[in-house]
Amino acid sequence: MKIDGVPYRTIWVNEDGRSVEIIDQTALPHVFRTVTLKTLEDAAAAIRDMLVRGAPLIGATAAYGICLAMRDDPSDDALDAACRTLAATRPTAVTLRWALDEMRGALRNRARDERVAAAYARAAEICDEDVAISEAIGEHGLALIREIAAAKPPGEPVNVLTHCNAGWLATVDWGTATAPIYKAFNAGLPVHVWVDETRPRNQGASLTAYELGHHGVGHAVIADNVGGHLMQHGMVDLCIVGTDRTTATGDVANKIGTYLKALAAHDNGVPFYVALPSTTIDWTLADGVAEIPIEQRSGDEVSRIAGRTDAGDIATVTITPAGSPVANYAFDVTPARLVTGLITERGVAEASREGLARLFPERAGEGA
Ligand code: MRU
C-alpha cells in the first residue's frame, strides 16, 4: 500500500542484504519512521514493544528474527534459543508459533553454512505468501461487499465496522479485515468504514484511520462504545474484524472488545465476519474461551495515553487516579456461534469444525 504515493510493505530486507527494516507503528499516526533491526533481540523487542503488531506481521518479523540470530550463530542451540526468545514475546498470536515452526522446518536439515541463506529465503517466502493470502481474502470479502451493495439503493455506501487494526499495517500488505474494503474501494464500490478507536492502545484510531485515510477510503473513528448504537439504527451493514488465533471449531480470539461487537451484531442481525489467513488457525484447539491464552499487558497502556498537543509535540499523560489498580487484558474470544463466516484465502467458511474442514481438508482432524 502507499504512504504519500510511495508503495511500502511493512517489513523488508535492506540493501545490505542483512538488516531488516520495519515501520515503527508506535509513532503513527503522528510520525512515519522506520527502524532497523540488526539482531535477534532487536526483532524480539520490536514485537514485544509493539513497533510491529498484528498476527501476520508478528509472524513475519519473527521469521526475520531467526535470520538475524543465524547470522550470529547458526548452531542448533542458537536456533532453539532464538525460537524460545521470539515465542515468548506475544502469547496469543498463533502465527508467531507457526512462523517459528516454518523456520525450524526450513533450517533443521541444513548444513550450518547454508542456514543464513536458507533462513532469508524462507522469511521472504513467508512475506510473499502473506501478501498473496491477504489479496485472496480481499477477493472473497469483496464478493460479500458486492452482494450487500447490490441490495442497497444505488450509490449508498456499504457501511463496514471494524475493530483494532487488521489492516495492511498488521500484515505484510493489504491487511485481512481491510483487504475486502480496499478491493471494494478500488473497484469503485461506495464503501464507508466505522473505525473503533480500540482502547487501550488505540490501534483503530491511530493505525486503521491512518491507513484508510492514506488510501482515500471514507471512514469515521468512533469511541469503542458506539458500535451497538449504530447497529440498532441500521447504520452498519456488516462487521469485518481480524483474528490472532482461531480454533478448529471457529472460535475467534481478537483484540479486546471484539466479543462485545459480535454480541451487538448478533442482537441486531448484522453479519459479523472474521477475515483470517489459515496461518492463524490453531488446529489443536476446540474451545477458544477455555484454551486460548490471553495476553495481559502493562497497566500503563490503560492508565496513560499518548497524543499530539496543539503545539505539535507528542505527549503522554496519565488519565487515572494515582494508585488506582489497572487490569489490561489484550484479547477476548468470540464464540463461533456469533460469527457469520470466516473469510479465508480459500473462500468463506462457516465458523464451525465442519466449515473449516471443508476448506482445509488436509488439516482437519489434527487436534480432534
Ligand atoms: O495487539 P495487536 O495490535 O497485535 O492486535 C492485533 C489484532 O487484534 C488484529 O485484529 C489481529 O492481529 C488481526 S491482524 C490481521
Side-chain angles (χ1 to χ4, degrees), residues 220-249:
V221 178
I222 51 175
D224 281 332
N225 307 325
V226 174
H229 169 78
L230 296 178
M231 292 184 213
Q232 281 177 326
H233 289 270
M235 295 165 78
V236 180
D237 293 303
L238 78 164
C239 302
I240 314 180
V241 301
T243 173
D244 289 79
R245 192 185 300 217
T246 296
T247 64
T249 53

Side-chain angles (χ1 to χ4, degrees), residues 50 53-56 58 90 163-167 170-171 175-177 201 203 241-244 254-255 275 277 295 297 330-331:
M50 295 179 67
R53 24 72 46 210
I58 289 171
R90 299 283 314 265
H163 191 71
C164 194
N165 173 261
T171 63
T176 56
R201 288 186 67 98
Q203 290 96 323
V241 301
T243 173
D244 289 79
N254 193 49
K255 183 52 54 187
E295 176 181 2
R297 298 185 58 85
F331 297 96

